[in-house]
Amino acid sequence: MTDVPESQASHSFQDRIVLGLVKFFKAEWSGAFLAILILGIAIELASSGRPFFHPSNLMTILNNSAAIGIVAGGMTLVIITAGIDLSVGSVMGMTAALTGYVASFWGFPPYLAIMTGLGIGLAIGAFNGSLVAYFGMPAFIVTLAGLSIWRGTGHLSTGAQASPKLPETFDYFGRYNPFAGLRDAYKEGTLTGGWERFGAFVDDNWINFFRTFQMSMLIFIGFFILLTIIIANTRYGRWVYAIGSNEPGARQAGINTPRYTLITYMFCSFSAALGALLFLGRAPYAKSDYGQMWELDAIAAVVIGGTSLFGGRGSLWGTFMGVILLKLINNGLTLAQLDTFWQMVVTGLIILVAVGLDIVRQSGNPESVRKLLGAIAAVMAFLALMTPGAIFLRAKIAVLEHNASVDLREAGTQLAAGQNARLLSPDEISQFQTAASSNLLAMLLLLALLIAACFVVLQTNRVISFVLAATFIAMIVPLIMMGYQITVPFLVLGAAALLGSAFVHALFAKARTLDVNAA
């Protein structure tokens, strides 16, 4: 038996790596998975206290993701059919409000109130789906109208008032811990045999693991497992993809496209109603203003997970990871003490990046991939800039508004209530000026980094990409010393994107060579 030369073995190993990378990045969910991995590691390194990858922390993220994740799962099927449902947030709010309303004021038993909420979700889906599938109305228009109709109906039905405290039955969809009763029984000494040993194990690991175990997480994971099995192994799943890929062709092939489109919209609204139950399982009462902007979050999770807005391609596990990634970013912005409105800005940017990734994946052009990675680095620089930039701008605007109000008052103008609210005390002015000056240097450094990252989109020089990636990493130490640990995950992601952009052309060329040789 002849020995394989060392160089040939090395080349073979490199080829396998290249082919593995190509196969990985062809998967729709690859971008979301890579972002979660890098972001999680970066947060782990930057945070103090309990490790990010601690089981209880991971389960907390899953619990917080459960309700919107269920809604995003239903949205995935609609988008795969090349449709859209902008009404899911309003459906969620309406079903949550009416479920709590009939349970609190009409005396419905909890199980009947739950069935009422789910039935309302199915009825709304049938209404939306019928208009789209049988009357040919654009899904965008139908569900945009539904966004107002169902939110208004929820407000009108309940007077926009919160319900009293919900029955404990609703906890089984949310905060209920299936191990709490077992732990209590163990402490009371009522367990024997194997159950006693298991109860002891639960009690010993309660703080580190079982304390954050909730039904919302189990329902979330079980929902995606069940839906994945259905989509992958049933005629319905195959036909959903066929409708999204080529609806006229699917119709000519004998598929009853209106029926399956109707079923898909019904399932989407049903998922919104189920998401409402998971939300009620963690909320003390029901109210019709729940679910606002959830349609944006659901669509963001779907497209981040790699599902094409043009239909025909996507995966539920990609959506699952898209939801987790959104929660990671939102939690990071919350830790950075940024307003909720910044989270809306970030969500919009992520949607743009995800759609760009889908377009680039379809084009298969290495230069488009390189530009997209440069754009991702620029977005990461912007996210890092938001913390010092938002504090600096908020402080400068507060002082500016104070001075403008003072000038108006000295000119004899009677100030309105909002203008009086802008007047600051000397101590407040000093605090804002200190905040502005202390954040100026970090803001300028990150602004320069953002401009440089934008330049990478326009150039093809690998050296510049390497230098800028090193600059992203080098920024970490001074920013941590200045107290901006929250910027670390974004800088690490930006550096990873820049390094990837430097190797794109080489990887594409190598992959093409391997394809030719294989042929």
mmCIF file of all heavy atoms in Angstrom, residues 158-203:
data_model
loop_
_atom_site.group_PDB
_atom_site.id
_atom_site.type_symbol
_atom_site.label_atom_id
_atom_site.label_comp_id
_atom_site.label_asym_id
_atom_site.label_seq_id
_atom_site.Cartn_x
_atom_site.Cartn_y
_atom_site.Cartn_z
ATOM 1 N N THR A 158 -62.884 45.362 24.493
ATOM 2 C CA THR A 158 -62.492 45.367 25.906
ATOM 3 C C THR A 158 -62.415 46.762 26.488
ATOM 4 O O THR A 158 -62.052 46.913 27.659
ATOM 5 C CB THR A 158 -61.123 44.684 26.075
ATOM 6 O OG1 THR A 158 -60.128 45.427 25.349
ATOM 7 C CG2 THR A 158 -61.155 43.265 25.556
ATOM 8 N N GLY A 159 -62.749 47.781 25.674
ATOM 9 C CA GLY A 159 -62.624 49.146 26.155
ATOM 10 C C GLY A 159 -61.193 49.553 26.390
ATOM 11 O O GLY A 159 -60.915 50.512 27.120
ATOM 12 N N ALA A 160 -60.257 48.804 25.783
ATOM 13 C CA ALA A 160 -58.812 49.063 25.937
ATOM 14 C C ALA A 160 -58.394 49.026 27.407
ATOM 15 O O ALA A 160 -57.421 49.668 27.799
ATOM 16 C CB ALA A 160 -58.421 50.393 25.293
ATOM 17 N N GLN A 161 -59.136 48.258 28.207
ATOM 18 C CA GLN A 161 -58.828 48.136 29.630
ATOM 19 C C GLN A 161 -58.219 46.767 29.923
ATOM 20 O O GLN A 161 -58.560 45.771 29.288
ATOM 21 C CB GLN A 161 -60.100 48.317 30.462
ATOM 22 C CG GLN A 161 -60.753 49.671 30.293
ATOM 23 C CD GLN A 161 -59.868 50.808 30.761
ATOM 24 O OE1 GLN A 161 -59.285 50.737 31.845
ATOM 25 N NE2 GLN A 161 -59.770 51.845 29.952
ATOM 26 N N ALA A 162 -57.339 46.737 30.895
ATOM 27 C CA ALA A 162 -56.720 45.482 31.296
ATOM 28 C C ALA A 162 -57.712 44.624 32.069
ATOM 29 O O ALA A 162 -58.587 45.140 32.782
ATOM 30 C CB ALA A 162 -55.484 45.748 32.148
ATOM 31 N N SER A 163 -57.586 43.331 31.917
ATOM 32 C CA SER A 163 -58.428 42.401 32.669
ATOM 33 C C SER A 163 -57.920 42.281 34.101
ATOM 34 O O SER A 163 -56.787 42.679 34.397
ATOM 35 C CB SER A 163 -58.403 41.025 31.994
ATOM 36 O OG SER A 163 -57.128 40.416 32.191
ATOM 37 N N PRO A 164 -58.746 41.741 35.007
ATOM 38 C CA PRO A 164 -58.214 41.386 36.338
ATOM 39 C C PRO A 164 -57.153 40.290 36.202
ATOM 40 O O PRO A 164 -56.892 39.780 35.112
ATOM 41 C CB PRO A 164 -59.452 40.880 37.084
ATOM 42 C CG PRO A 164 -60.619 41.420 36.322
ATOM 43 C CD PRO A 164 -60.177 41.498 34.896
ATOM 44 N N LYS A 165 -56.551 39.936 37.327
ATOM 45 C CA LYS A 165 -55.521 38.898 37.313
ATOM 46 C C LYS A 165 -56.085 37.613 36.726
ATOM 47 O O LYS A 165 -57.181 37.187 37.074
ATOM 48 C CB LYS A 165 -55.003 38.641 38.722
ATOM 49 C CG LYS A 165 -53.773 37.743 38.780
ATOM 50 C CD LYS A 165 -53.257 37.619 40.200
ATOM 51 C CE LYS A 165 -51.962 36.827 40.234
ATOM 52 N NZ LYS A 165 -52.065 35.495 39.633
ATOM 53 N N LEU A 166 -55.330 37.012 35.838
ATOM 54 C CA LEU A 166 -55.792 35.819 35.137
ATOM 55 C C LEU A 166 -55.744 34.592 36.040
ATOM 56 O O LEU A 166 -54.924 34.524 36.971
ATOM 57 C CB LEU A 166 -54.923 35.574 33.899
ATOM 58 C CG LEU A 166 -54.997 36.657 32.810
ATOM 59 C CD1 LEU A 166 -53.940 36.418 31.752
ATOM 60 C CD2 LEU A 166 -56.386 36.672 32.179
ATOM 61 N N PRO A 167 -56.586 33.584 35.775
ATOM 62 C CA PRO A 167 -56.522 32.334 36.551
ATOM 63 C C PRO A 167 -55.149 31.652 36.394
ATOM 64 O O PRO A 167 -54.443 31.844 35.398
ATOM 65 C CB PRO A 167 -57.633 31.479 35.915
ATOM 66 C CG PRO A 167 -58.558 32.454 35.264
ATOM 67 C CD PRO A 167 -57.693 33.585 34.799
ATOM 68 N N GLU A 168 -54.815 30.846 37.383
ATOM 69 C CA GLU A 168 -53.513 30.185 37.372
ATOM 70 C C GLU A 168 -53.358 29.190 36.235
ATOM 71 O O GLU A 168 -52.241 28.810 35.877
ATOM 72 C CB GLU A 168 -53.283 29.472 38.711
ATOM 73 C CG GLU A 168 -53.107 30.417 39.892
ATOM 74 C CD GLU A 168 -52.781 29.670 41.172
ATOM 75 O OE1 GLU A 168 -52.703 28.418 41.117
ATOM 76 O OE2 GLU A 168 -52.601 30.327 42.214
ATOM 77 N N THR A 169 -54.471 28.785 35.628
ATOM 78 C CA THR A 169 -54.401 27.845 34.505
ATOM 79 C C THR A 169 -53.526 28.388 33.385
ATOM 80 O O THR A 169 -52.823 27.640 32.697
ATOM 81 C CB THR A 169 -55.815 27.558 33.963
ATOM 82 O OG1 THR A 169 -56.620 27.041 35.026
ATOM 83 C CG2 THR A 169 -55.770 26.550 32.823
ATOM 84 N N PHE A 170 -53.550 29.695 33.197
ATOM 85 C CA PHE A 170 -52.754 30.294 32.123
ATOM 86 C C PHE A 170 -51.255 30.151 32.374
ATOM 87 O O PHE A 170 -50.464 30.246 31.438
ATOM 88 C CB PHE A 170 -53.130 31.774 31.961
ATOM 89 C CG PHE A 170 -54.460 31.986 31.311
ATOM 90 C CD1 PHE A 170 -55.615 32.101 32.079
ATOM 91 C CD2 PHE A 170 -54.581 32.054 29.935
ATOM 92 C CE1 PHE A 170 -56.854 32.284 31.489
ATOM 93 C CE2 PHE A 170 -55.813 32.234 29.334
ATOM 94 C CZ PHE A 170 -56.952 32.346 30.116
ATOM 95 N N ASP A 171 -50.873 29.944 33.640
ATOM 96 C CA ASP A 171 -49.450 29.767 33.946
ATOM 97 C C ASP A 171 -48.862 28.550 33.232
ATOM 98 O O ASP A 171 -47.648 28.493 33.007
ATOM 99 C CB ASP A 171 -49.245 29.613 35.457
ATOM 100 C CG ASP A 171 -49.540 30.895 36.218
ATOM 101 O OD1 ASP A 171 -49.747 31.936 35.556
ATOM 102 O OD2 ASP A 171 -49.572 30.854 37.455
ATOM 103 N N TYR A 172 -49.711 27.563 32.899
ATOM 104 C CA TYR A 172 -49.214 26.360 32.231
ATOM 105 C C TYR A 172 -48.690 26.653 30.817
ATOM 106 O O TYR A 172 -48.035 25.800 30.220
ATOM 107 C CB TYR A 172 -50.307 25.302 32.171
ATOM 108 C CG TYR A 172 -50.595 24.663 33.500
ATOM 109 C CD1 TYR A 172 -51.651 25.114 34.287
ATOM 110 C CD2 TYR A 172 -49.801 23.634 33.990
ATOM 111 C CE1 TYR A 172 -51.917 24.539 35.520
ATOM 112 C CE2 TYR A 172 -50.057 23.058 35.222
ATOM 113 C CZ TYR A 172 -51.120 23.519 35.996
ATOM 114 O OH TYR A 172 -51.368 22.950 37.223
ATOM 115 N N PHE A 173 -48.989 27.830 30.293
ATOM 116 C CA PHE A 173 -48.438 28.227 29.003
ATOM 117 C C PHE A 173 -47.187 29.090 29.158
ATOM 118 O O PHE A 173 -46.576 29.456 28.160
ATOM 119 C CB PHE A 173 -49.481 29.022 28.198
ATOM 120 C CG PHE A 173 -50.605 28.181 27.689
ATOM 121 C CD1 PHE A 173 -51.763 28.020 28.431
ATOM 122 C CD2 PHE A 173 -50.511 27.544 26.460
ATOM 123 C CE1 PHE A 173 -52.812 27.251 27.958
ATOM 124 C CE2 PHE A 173 -51.546 26.766 25.981
ATOM 125 C CZ PHE A 173 -52.701 26.618 26.735
ATOM 126 N N GLY A 174 -46.828 29.434 30.387
ATOM 127 C CA GLY A 174 -45.727 30.366 30.571
ATOM 128 C C GLY A 174 -44.807 30.028 31.708
ATOM 129 O O GLY A 174 -43.909 29.208 31.592
ATOM 130 N N ARG A 175 -45.086 30.632 32.871
ATOM 131 C CA ARG A 175 -44.129 30.570 33.968
ATOM 132 C C ARG A 175 -44.142 29.258 34.745
ATOM 133 O O ARG A 175 -43.280 29.044 35.610
ATOM 134 C CB ARG A 175 -44.399 31.731 34.932
ATOM 135 C CG ARG A 175 -45.696 31.609 35.694
ATOM 136 C CD ARG A 175 -45.840 32.714 36.714
ATOM 137 N NE ARG A 175 -45.968 34.004 36.096
ATOM 138 C CZ ARG A 175 -47.133 34.546 35.743
ATOM 139 N NH1 ARG A 175 -48.263 33.879 35.930
ATOM 140 N NH2 ARG A 175 -47.193 35.730 35.199
ATOM 141 N N TYR A 176 -45.091 28.395 34.489
ATOM 142 C CA TYR A 176 -45.172 27.139 35.242
ATOM 143 C C TYR A 176 -43.893 26.319 35.083
ATOM 144 O O TYR A 176 -43.410 26.103 33.971
ATOM 145 C CB TYR A 176 -46.370 26.318 34.771
ATOM 146 C CG TYR A 176 -46.438 24.942 35.389
ATOM 147 C CD1 TYR A 176 -46.802 24.779 36.722
ATOM 148 C CD2 TYR A 176 -46.112 23.813 34.640
ATOM 149 C CE1 TYR A 176 -46.862 23.523 37.291
ATOM 150 C CE2 TYR A 176 -46.167 22.551 35.208
ATOM 151 C CZ TYR A 176 -46.539 22.408 36.537
ATOM 152 O OH TYR A 176 -46.587 21.156 37.099
ATOM 153 N N ASN A 177 -43.353 25.888 36.190
ATOM 154 C CA ASN A 177 -42.136 25.069 36.200
ATOM 155 C C ASN A 177 -42.530 23.623 36.499
ATOM 156 O O ASN A 177 -42.982 23.319 37.612
ATOM 157 C CB ASN A 177 -41.153 25.580 37.250
ATOM 158 C CG ASN A 177 -39.798 24.905 37.169
ATOM 159 O OD1 ASN A 177 -39.687 23.740 36.812
ATOM 160 N ND2 ASN A 177 -38.746 25.639 37.498
ATOM 161 N N PRO A 178 -42.367 22.702 35.542
ATOM 162 C CA PRO A 178 -42.806 21.324 35.774
ATOM 163 C C PRO A 178 -42.004 20.593 36.841
ATOM 164 O O PRO A 178 -42.410 19.524 37.291
ATOM 165 C CB PRO A 178 -42.625 20.661 34.403
ATOM 166 C CG PRO A 178 -41.615 21.498 33.696
ATOM 167 C CD PRO A 178 -41.822 22.894 34.190
ATOM 168 N N PHE A 179 -40.864 21.161 37.244
ATOM 169 C CA PHE A 179 -40.038 20.502 38.263
ATOM 170 C C PHE A 179 -40.286 21.061 39.661
ATOM 171 O O PHE A 179 -39.762 20.528 40.638
ATOM 172 C CB PHE A 179 -38.551 20.650 37.919
ATOM 173 C CG PHE A 179 -38.152 19.910 36.674
ATOM 174 C CD1 PHE A 179 -38.011 20.575 35.478
ATOM 175 C CD2 PHE A 179 -37.916 18.541 36.703
ATOM 176 C CE1 PHE A 179 -37.648 19.895 34.318
ATOM 177 C CE2 PHE A 179 -37.555 17.857 35.564
ATOM 178 C CZ PHE A 179 -37.427 18.542 34.367
ATOM 179 N N ALA A 180 -41.061 22.150 39.770
ATOM 180 C CA ALA A 180 -41.285 22.768 41.080
ATOM 181 C C ALA A 180 -42.049 21.829 42.011
ATOM 182 O O ALA A 180 -41.710 21.681 43.196
ATOM 183 C CB ALA A 180 -42.031 24.085 40.915
ATOM 184 N N GLY A 181 -43.085 21.164 41.487
ATOM 185 C CA GLY A 181 -43.861 20.247 42.319
ATOM 186 C C GLY A 181 -43.041 19.068 42.789
ATOM 187 O O GLY A 181 -43.173 18.613 43.933
ATOM 188 N N LEU A 182 -42.169 18.559 41.908
ATOM 189 C CA LEU A 182 -41.312 17.444 42.283
ATOM 190 C C LEU A 182 -40.350 17.849 43.390
ATOM 191 O O LEU A 182 -40.121 17.094 44.351
ATOM 192 C CB LEU A 182 -40.535 16.966 41.048
ATOM 193 C CG LEU A 182 -39.620 15.757 41.237
ATOM 194 C CD1 LEU A 182 -40.442 14.506 41.521
ATOM 195 C CD2 LEU A 182 -38.760 15.547 39.997
ATOM 196 N N ARG A 183 -39.811 19.051 43.284
ATOM 197 C CA ARG A 183 -38.898 19.536 44.322
ATOM 198 C C ARG A 183 -39.634 19.693 45.650
ATOM 199 O O ARG A 183 -39.106 19.331 46.724
ATOM 200 C CB ARG A 183 -38.297 20.871 43.884
ATOM 201 C CG ARG A 183 -37.303 21.474 44.885
ATOM 202 C CD ARG A 183 -36.714 22.751 44.315
ATOM 203 N NE ARG A 183 -35.707 23.304 45.207
ATOM 204 C CZ ARG A 183 -35.781 24.518 45.761
ATOM 205 N NH1 ARG A 183 -36.842 25.293 45.512
ATOM 206 N NH2 ARG A 183 -34.829 24.965 46.541
ATOM 207 N N ASP A 184 -40.853 20.241 45.610
ATOM 208 C CA ASP A 184 -41.621 20.411 46.845
ATOM 209 C C ASP A 184 -41.931 19.051 47.479
ATOM 210 O O ASP A 184 -41.849 18.898 48.715
ATOM 211 C CB ASP A 184 -42.927 21.152 46.548
ATOM 212 C CG ASP A 184 -42.685 22.595 46.134
ATOM 213 O OD1 ASP A 184 -41.595 23.121 46.431
ATOM 214 O OD2 ASP A 184 -43.583 23.190 45.496
ATOM 215 N N ALA A 185 -42.288 18.076 46.640
ATOM 216 C CA ALA A 185 -42.588 16.742 47.171
ATOM 217 C C ALA A 185 -41.359 16.119 47.814
ATOM 218 O O ALA A 185 -41.452 15.445 48.852
ATOM 219 C CB ALA A 185 -43.118 15.846 46.051
ATOM 220 N N TYR A 186 -40.200 16.347 47.205
ATOM 221 C CA TYR A 186 -38.954 15.810 47.791
ATOM 222 C C TYR A 186 -38.691 16.447 49.156
ATOM 223 O O TYR A 186 -38.316 15.755 50.118
ATOM 224 C CB TYR A 186 -37.791 16.076 46.836
ATOM 225 C CG TYR A 186 -36.445 15.826 47.465
ATOM 226 C CD1 TYR A 186 -35.981 14.528 47.675
ATOM 227 C CD2 TYR A 186 -35.646 16.895 47.884
ATOM 228 C CE1 TYR A 186 -34.748 14.295 48.272
ATOM 229 C CE2 TYR A 186 -34.419 16.674 48.478
ATOM 230 C CZ TYR A 186 -33.978 15.375 48.676
ATOM 231 O OH TYR A 186 -32.753 15.151 49.261
ATOM 232 N N LYS A 187 -38.880 17.774 49.246
ATOM 233 C CA LYS A 187 -38.640 18.448 50.518
ATOM 234 C C LYS A 187 -39.621 18.005 51.588
ATOM 235 O O LYS A 187 -39.290 17.990 52.780
ATOM 236 C CB LYS A 187 -38.734 19.966 50.321
ATOM 237 C CG LYS A 187 -37.536 20.562 49.576
ATOM 238 C CD LYS A 187 -37.610 22.091 49.594
ATOM 239 C CE LYS A 187 -36.304 22.677 49.114
ATOM 240 N NZ LYS A 187 -36.293 24.147 49.224
ATOM 241 N N GLU A 188 -40.837 17.651 51.147
ATOM 242 C CA GLU A 188 -41.834 17.175 52.112
ATOM 243 C C GLU A 188 -41.624 15.718 52.485
ATOM 244 O O GLU A 188 -42.290 15.204 53.385
ATOM 245 C CB GLU A 188 -43.237 17.359 51.526
ATOM 246 C CG GLU A 188 -43.633 18.826 51.347
ATOM 247 C CD GLU A 188 -44.892 18.985 50.528
ATOM 248 O OE1 GLU A 188 -45.445 17.933 50.104
ATOM 249 O OE2 GLU A 188 -45.331 20.132 50.294
ATOM 250 N N GLY A 189 -40.730 15.029 51.763
ATOM 251 C CA GLY A 189 -40.418 13.632 52.068
ATOM 252 C C GLY A 189 -41.454 12.642 51.607
ATOM 253 O O GLY A 189 -41.554 11.540 52.172
ATOM 254 N N THR A 190 -42.228 13.009 50.558
ATOM 255 C CA THR A 190 -43.281 12.109 50.083
ATOM 256 C C THR A 190 -42.840 11.250 48.901
ATOM 257 O O THR A 190 -43.644 10.463 48.383
ATOM 258 C CB THR A 190 -44.523 12.930 49.669
ATOM 259 O OG1 THR A 190 -44.150 13.856 48.646
ATOM 260 C CG2 THR A 190 -45.091 13.686 50.871
ATOM 261 N N LEU A 191 -41.594 11.377 48.459
ATOM 262 C CA LEU A 191 -41.110 10.588 47.327
ATOM 263 C C LEU A 191 -40.360 9.367 47.814
ATOM 264 O O LEU A 191 -39.743 9.383 48.891
ATOM 265 C CB LEU A 191 -40.181 11.444 46.449
ATOM 266 C CG LEU A 191 -40.791 12.693 45.790
ATOM 267 C CD1 LEU A 191 -39.730 13.447 45.004
ATOM 268 C CD2 LEU A 191 -41.952 12.316 44.884
ATOM 269 N N THR A 192 -40.381 8.318 47.018
ATOM 270 C CA THR A 192 -39.654 7.088 47.353
ATOM 271 C C THR A 192 -38.945 6.557 46.118
ATOM 272 O O THR A 192 -39.306 6.873 44.974
ATOM 273 C CB THR A 192 -40.614 6.006 47.877
ATOM 274 O OG1 THR A 192 -41.614 5.735 46.873
ATOM 275 C CG2 THR A 192 -41.295 6.459 49.166
ATOM 276 N N GLY A 193 -37.934 5.724 46.356
ATOM 277 C CA GLY A 193 -37.256 5.031 45.268
ATOM 278 C C GLY A 193 -36.574 5.978 44.299
ATOM 279 O O GLY A 193 -35.916 6.952 44.670
ATOM 280 N N GLY A 194 -36.751 5.659 43.010
ATOM 281 C CA GLY A 194 -36.107 6.448 41.967
ATOM 282 C C GLY A 194 -36.580 7.889 41.942
ATOM 283 O O GLY A 194 -35.802 8.808 41.649
ATOM 284 N N TRP A 195 -37.850 8.111 42.246
ATOM 285 C CA TRP A 195 -38.360 9.477 42.260
ATOM 286 C C TRP A 195 -37.685 10.305 43.353
ATOM 287 O O TRP A 195 -37.446 11.507 43.171
ATOM 288 C CB TRP A 195 -39.868 9.478 42.480
ATOM 289 C CG TRP A 195 -40.646 9.109 41.259
ATOM 290 C CD1 TRP A 195 -41.355 7.973 41.037
ATOM 291 C CD2 TRP A 195 -40.770 9.896 40.060
ATOM 292 N NE1 TRP A 195 -41.918 7.980 39.786
ATOM 293 C CE2 TRP A 195 -41.576 9.153 39.157
ATOM 294 C CE3 TRP A 195 -40.289 11.128 39.667
ATOM 295 C CZ2 TRP A 195 -41.896 9.629 37.892
ATOM 296 C CZ3 TRP A 195 -40.608 11.610 38.403
ATOM 297 C CH2 TRP A 195 -41.401 10.865 37.528
ATOM 298 N N GLU A 196 -37.373 9.660 44.467
ATOM 299 C CA GLU A 196 -36.690 10.385 45.543
ATOM 300 C C GLU A 196 -35.289 10.802 45.108
ATOM 301 O O GLU A 196 -34.847 11.933 45.367
ATOM 302 C CB GLU A 196 -36.616 9.516 46.801
ATOM 303 C CG GLU A 196 -35.977 10.248 47.984
ATOM 304 C CD GLU A 196 -35.924 9.365 49.219
ATOM 305 O OE1 GLU A 196 -36.163 8.146 49.085
ATOM 306 O OE2 GLU A 196 -35.644 9.892 50.304
ATOM 307 N N ARG A 197 -34.585 9.896 44.416
ATOM 308 C CA ARG A 197 -33.239 10.239 43.932
ATOM 309 C C ARG A 197 -33.304 11.353 42.894
ATOM 310 O O ARG A 197 -32.473 12.266 42.891
ATOM 311 C CB ARG A 197 -32.555 9.000 43.359
ATOM 312 C CG ARG A 197 -32.175 7.964 44.418
ATOM 313 C CD ARG A 197 -31.286 6.875 43.844
ATOM 314 N NE ARG A 197 -31.998 6.060 42.863
ATOM 315 C CZ ARG A 197 -32.717 4.987 43.170
ATOM 316 N NH1 ARG A 197 -32.839 4.605 44.440
ATOM 317 N NH2 ARG A 197 -33.346 4.283 42.236
ATOM 318 N N PHE A 198 -34.306 11.267 42.023
ATOM 319 C CA PHE A 198 -34.440 12.308 41.013
ATOM 320 C C PHE A 198 -34.822 13.637 41.668
ATOM 321 O O PHE A 198 -34.340 14.713 41.273
ATOM 322 C CB PHE A 198 -35.496 11.910 39.979
ATOM 323 C CG PHE A 198 -35.623 12.877 38.835
ATOM 324 C CD1 PHE A 198 -34.520 13.232 38.068
ATOM 325 C CD2 PHE A 198 -36.851 13.458 38.532
ATOM 326 C CE1 PHE A 198 -34.634 14.131 37.018
ATOM 327 C CE2 PHE A 198 -36.985 14.352 37.482
ATOM 328 C CZ PHE A 198 -35.868 14.685 36.720
ATOM 329 N N GLY A 199 -35.687 13.588 42.689
ATOM 330 C CA GLY A 199 -36.052 14.804 43.416
ATOM 331 C C GLY A 199 -34.848 15.437 44.097
ATOM 332 O O GLY A 199 -34.710 16.662 44.128
ATOM 333 N N ALA A 200 -33.961 14.580 44.633
ATOM 334 C CA ALA A 200 -32.737 15.095 45.258
ATOM 335 C C ALA A 200 -31.845 15.767 44.220
ATOM 336 O O ALA A 200 -31.247 16.821 44.480
ATOM 337 C CB ALA A 200 -31.990 13.950 45.943
ATOM 338 N N PHE A 201 -31.769 15.164 43.032
ATOM 339 C CA PHE A 201 -30.965 15.747 41.953
ATOM 340 C C PHE A 201 -31.518 17.112 41.532
ATOM 341 O O PHE A 201 -30.759 18.077 41.349
ATOM 342 C CB PHE A 201 -30.942 14.795 40.758
ATOM 343 C CG PHE A 201 -30.235 15.335 39.545
ATOM 344 C CD1 PHE A 201 -28.850 15.350 39.491
ATOM 345 C CD2 PHE A 201 -30.956 15.833 38.474
ATOM 346 C CE1 PHE A 201 -28.186 15.861 38.384
ATOM 347 C CE2 PHE A 201 -30.308 16.347 37.357
ATOM 348 C CZ PHE A 201 -28.905 16.353 37.323
ATOM 349 N N VAL A 202 -32.842 17.194 41.427
ATOM 350 C CA VAL A 202 -33.476 18.469 41.062
ATOM 351 C C VAL A 202 -33.214 19.513 42.135
ATOM 352 O O VAL A 202 -32.875 20.668 41.834
ATOM 353 C CB VAL A 202 -34.994 18.276 40.848
ATOM 354 C CG1 VAL A 202 -35.699 19.628 40.722
ATOM 355 C CG2 VAL A 202 -35.257 17.427 39.621
ATOM 356 N N ASP A 203 -33.333 19.130 43.397
ATOM 357 C CA ASP A 203 -33.128 20.079 44.497
ATOM 358 C C ASP A 203 -31.677 20.554 44.547
ATOM 359 O O ASP A 203 -31.413 21.744 44.763
ATOM 360 C CB ASP A 203 -33.503 19.405 45.818
ATOM 361 C CG ASP A 203 -33.438 20.378 46.975
ATOM 362 O OD1 ASP A 203 -34.144 21.406 46.932
ATOM 363 O OD2 ASP A 203 -32.667 20.122 47.920
#
